[in-house]
Structure formats: C-alpha cells, structure tokens
Amino acid sequence: MNQTELYQGLQAIGYPVAYSHFTTEPKAPYLVYLFAYGNDYMADNFNHAEVSVYQVELYTEKKDLTAEQKVKDKLREMQLPFSKSETYLESEKMHQVIYEIQLIGG
C-alpha cells in the first residue's frame, strides 16, 4: 500500500481528510494523516524493505466512540495493524486519537 491508497481509504470513511493539516479547519470530526518516521528493514548495509510509519489522527469535539470505530474498522479492512493513543488538546478544545500504522514498500 502507498500513501495515495491510504488517503483514498481514509476518504471512504466520509470525514474530511488532509495530509498534515487543513488550511481552514473543517467541522469535526475530521482526519489528518502524516509521515511520522521511517523504520526500514536493513541488513548488510542495504535497505531491503521500505517501512514508513504514519500517524492517522482523528479530531472530535467530544469523545466520539462511533467515529473511532469507523476509523478502526477502515484500518482493519485495509489490513493495516495499528496502535492507538489519545489525548485532549486543551488549547483546541478537541479530542485527538492517534492511530500509528506502517506502510511497507510504499
């Protein structure tokens, strides 16, 4: 899977989606995804497989279990294992749920 396919899959959830940030913040819930870091498989001084770690961030005005379930269901459908963390952004008055995924070879 590559970044374009990730974007298309996230769009299918039905929430606004942007890479990194929106120029004008949409009404929540919305999704932002971005490259976090590379974790390539390396051996013998060679990168054998490109592994890109992305963050898929869900923003909601209140704890929204339905929105979270939609994201989890889509990531599972796309066969993307994930880890999840969350926080409340006091300055934004928003809940942020972060799903960390790996794209291999893309």
Side-chain angles (χ1 to χ4, degrees):
M1 174 173 294
N2 61 36
Q3 183 177 327
T4 301
E5 293 166 327
L6 173 61
Y7 175 71
Q8 292 168 345
L10 294 175
Q11 277 188 311
I13 296 171
Y15 299 138
V17 180
Y19 181 84
S20 178
H21 64 282
F22 287 90
T23 54
T24 303
E25 186 175 315
K27 183 173 176 3
Y30 59 87
L31 296 164
V32 171
Y33 72 101
L34 63 143
F35 176 82
Y37 58 93
N39 193 21
D40 291 1
Y41 171 70
M42 298 175 276
D44 301 323
N45 295 321
F46 186 76
N47 289 46
H48 289 276
E50 182 179 339
V51 180
S52 300
V53 179
Y54 282 81
Q55 288 183 192
V56 175
E57 302 174 1
L58 170 66
Y59 292 90
T60 58
E61 293 176 351
K62 60 181 175 56
K63 179 74 174 165
D64 190 335
L65 296 175
T66 301
E68 290 180 37
Q69 191 63 51
K70 286 181 180 182
V71 175
K72 290 191 294 189
D73 288 347
K74 178 52 75 174
L75 293 176
R76 287 182 180 124
E77 177 187 316
M78 296 168 67
Q79 299 181 346
L80 293 171
F82 59 87
S83 60
K84 176 184 163 186
S85 61
E86 65 180 271
T87 191
Y88 181 71
L89 304 172
E90 184 67 40
S91 63
E92 303 293 323
K93 304 287 190 240
M94 299 284 281
H95 288 267
Q96 177 192 48
V97 180
I98 301 171
Y99 302 87
E100 187 174 281
I101 62 168
Q102 293 182 349
L103 299 185
I104 299 173

